[in-house]
Structure formats: C-alpha cells, structure tokens
Amino acid sequence: MEPGEPREPQEPRETGPGAETAAAQVWEEAKIFYDNLAPKKKPKSPKPQNAVTIAVSSRALFRMDEEQRIYTEQGVEEYVRYQLEHENEPFSPGPAFPFVKALEAVNRRLRELYPDSEDVFDIVLMTNNHAQVGVRLINSINHYDLFIERFCMTGGNSPICYLKAYHTNLYLSADAEKVREAIDEGIAAATIFSPSRDVVVSQSQLRVAFDGDAVLFSDESERIVKAHGLDRFFEHEKAHENKPLAQGPLKGFLEALGRLQKKFYSKGLRLECPIRTYLVTARSAASSGARALKTLRSWGLETDEALFLAGAPKGPLLEKIRPHIFFDDQMFHVAGAQEMGTVAAHVPYGVAQTPRRTAPAKQAPSAQ
C-alpha cells in the first residue's frame, strides 16, 4: 500500500458481544474508503440571476501578449493556427487571475456555511475568441484548477450584448473600447492592467479598493472642480453634505459585495469575514469626507476602511492594503497604483475621461 493510500476495510473477526460494534466500525471504514476512491465533484453552478456574476475576458485572466501580437500582425487565421498548435500549453496567469482565485476562496467559505445557497460568485469567461481557441482556454482553466463553467466565445463579434443575459455584476477586460461599450450599457466595467511588479496578496481574504467620485459615486463633484476650482468644490460639498450623491457605475458591485459580507456577519464572523472593502479617495476628510460617508450610509452600504488622502498619491497606501483589485476613473491614479505593485482597473466614466473622437481611425480588434 502506497503512503497516503486509503486503507481497505477488513472483515470483523469478533463473534462475541462486541461483534455489532466491530461490524459498525468496518462499515464506517468502508464508507471512508470508497468516498476517498470516488472522484471529487465540483460544486454545481448557480443560476445567473441568483449569483454575483463576474465576467472576465481571456486577456484579463491570462497573459496572451504573444498571441495578441500574432493576431495584430498576422491576422486571425495565423492566430487560430498558433493557438491550436499550442493548445496543450497553459497560458500564464494574467492581472485578473489573483482576483478570480480570491473569489473562489470566498465561495468555498460560503458553501461551507450555506451549502444550498446560490448566492455566491459566478465567474464567466467572456471573449470574442474563435471557438477553436476554447480548448486551450479550457486546458488552462483545468491546469490551474479554476471553477469556471460558463464560457461565451463570440468568434470575433463583440461579447457586450451577452453581458446582460448573464446578469453581469462586473465586467473586466483588457480592451478599453469593450469596457466603454459596457459602461454605456449601464454595466459595471473596468479595463484591468498588470502591475509593474509582483506583490503577494492574501490567499484567504478578498480585498477590493474603490475610488469614490465617478466610481462609486457620480461625477457631480468632479464637474464642480473642473468648472469652478477646489474652493468652490469645498463650498458645494459643505452646502450639500446631507444630500446623497447620485450613484456611480460600480455602486452595484459594492452592494453585491456587501450582501455577501452580511452572510458572514449573520454567522458571527464579522472579524473573520473573507471579504474586505476599502474607499481610497483623493477627497479630504474635514472638507468633503462627510458627504461621501453619508452617501454610503443612505444607500445602506459601508466600506470596511475609508482612506481620505487629501490629494496625496494613492500608490503607497495601496501597497500597504495589497488589494486584489483597485478601481479608479483617472489613469494617473491607475498608473501610480501599478508602479507600487497593485492590480489596478480603469473605470472610463465621468468628466475626467478623454472625449472620444467622432471618426476613430480603423484598427484591428483585439482577441480578448
């Protein structure tokens, strides 16, 4: 018998008064033996309408730089040929990979506490790749033991139209234009970027950091700053301190995280909750922080931590938090986070965004 191999149950040899006890012990050993031989079943996929659905593009989940270069320079036929030739080689993890692993860690805890509940994270691979590339994606997912059962491979067409059908709560992609399309459709979305250096993140607690204005909240306050300056902004926030801000594009995702957090709180696990959220904002606490916190309160939401930086760089604080993902509407904050080793995601919403050109130059679509 190999080390670690389950021991085959032995027949009971007693014939006296203890025979029944011995027989029961043998049956228990037999059950353990055959349970260990049986293949481990993966959990059942939840119905999309019951779950918190996270749609991730293939280039967000995996590194596909070489494949994207071939697609751009040599075209789709050579791209598909290359993928078929390498379909038994798993992709390397991409920027969304640690986030997805953290989602699965939360799901394991939820299923331990609520075995019959479908209120868990459901991860969908959403890509405009050709279906032939699906084998390599499936092989990669199995290689890393990820639980991703739902695929949407659109063969060159935009996957955006399918996001609502999947009841998507958050869409992450490496394609900025696809993310803009999703935002325009009212779907929480962000363009995800790899950090400049690798930083170890928690394996047991999902950490998500949000900017405030134009991410959780509308861009109302940023419009005041842009049009009238900081002094007028401070006056405006003071005058409207008790008026909640309108919601921003990721308010619904924070709401979904809060709903799952409460499932742990109801079991007395607030301090051991495997989800932790952060508000990381350039606002200053004294002059404009109260309105942000009161807005969250009016929505019945909260973040575990609130960091008001009063214009200071966000990167050093994020380096201490080590979130699995940080959402911001301004690219210079995204770049600052990247430099400090944080996986950052750009939310293209609000007045801070560069206006789109009316007649964009033609370019090859990306193989997501």
Side-chain angles (χ1 to χ4, degrees), residues 213-214 217-226 233 236-237 240 243-246 283 291 349-351:
D213 296 295
F217 315 128
S218 73
D219 66 340
E220 170 196 324
S221 297
E222 289 190 349
R223 289 180 181 276
I224 298 293
V225 174
K226 195 173 182 68
F233 163 73
H236 177 269
E237 292 302 289
H240 295 81
K243 180 183 178 183
L245 289 153
R283 284 175 175 250
R291 190 180 186 197
Y349 175 84
V351 71

Side-chain angles (χ1 to χ4, degrees), residues 62-214:
F62 298 117
R63 290 191 185 276
M64 301 175 67
D65 297 339
E66 177 62 14
E67 292 78 7
Q68 180 64 18
R69 184 192 65 77
I70 293 170
Y71 181 88
T72 303
E73 296 178 2
Q74 301 179 42
V76 65
E77 295 302 325
E78 187 62 23
Y79 169 81
V80 171
R81 186 191 68 78
Y82 179 89
Q83 295 282 33
L84 292 176
E85 289 179 354
H86 294 79
E87 68 180 17
N88 292 320
E89 300 173 15
F91 293 111
S92 297
F97 189 92
F99 176 65
V100 168
K101 292 291 285 184
L103 298 177
E104 294 191 341
V106 174
N107 278 355
R108 286 192 290 273
R109 295 284 304 279
L110 284 168
R111 288 186 172 110
E112 289 171 3
L113 296 172
Y114 303 92
D116 300 322
S117 175
E118 292 191 330
D119 196 6
V120 294
F121 293 110
D122 187 25
I123 302 153
V124 178
L125 189 69
M126 187 75 63
T127 173
N128 62 5
N129 262 301
H130 192 281
Q132 289 290 341
V133 182
V135 174
R136 190 177 183 193
L137 290 169
I138 290 170
N139 287 343
S140 298
I141 284 168
N142 289 336
H143 173 79
Y144 294 109
D145 197 27
L146 299 175
F147 182 60
I148 302 177
E149 297 291 336
R150 302 192 203 279
F151 275 41
C152 183
M153 293 175 282
T154 64
N157 292 328
S158 173
I160 302 304
C161 62
Y162 296 101
L163 291 173
K164 288 186 178 178
Y166 278 94
H167 298 267
T168 301
N169 296 90
L170 176 68
Y171 172 54
L172 296 175
S173 175
D175 188 322
E177 189 54 39
K178 295 291 189 299
V179 168
R180 282 183 179 272
E181 289 179 39
I183 290 284
D184 289 345
E185 291 294 322
I187 296 165
T191 309
I192 193 166
F193 294 90
S194 296
S196 300
R197 55 189 174 87
D198 291 333
V199 171
V200 176
V201 292
S202 174
Q203 301 295 308
S204 58
Q205 185 181 62
L206 170 66
R207 298 176 185 174
V208 183
F210 300 89
D211 179 31
D213 296 295

Side-chain angles (χ1 to χ4, degrees), residues 24-46:
Q25 181 179 350
V26 168
W27 282 116
E28 184 62 29
E29 289 179 357
K31 181 178 183 301
I32 294 171
F33 175 76
Y34 290 113
D35 282 350
N36 286 331
L37 288 181
K40 301 300 180 186
K41 291 185 178 179
K42 288 189 174 182
K44 184 179 178 183
S45 295

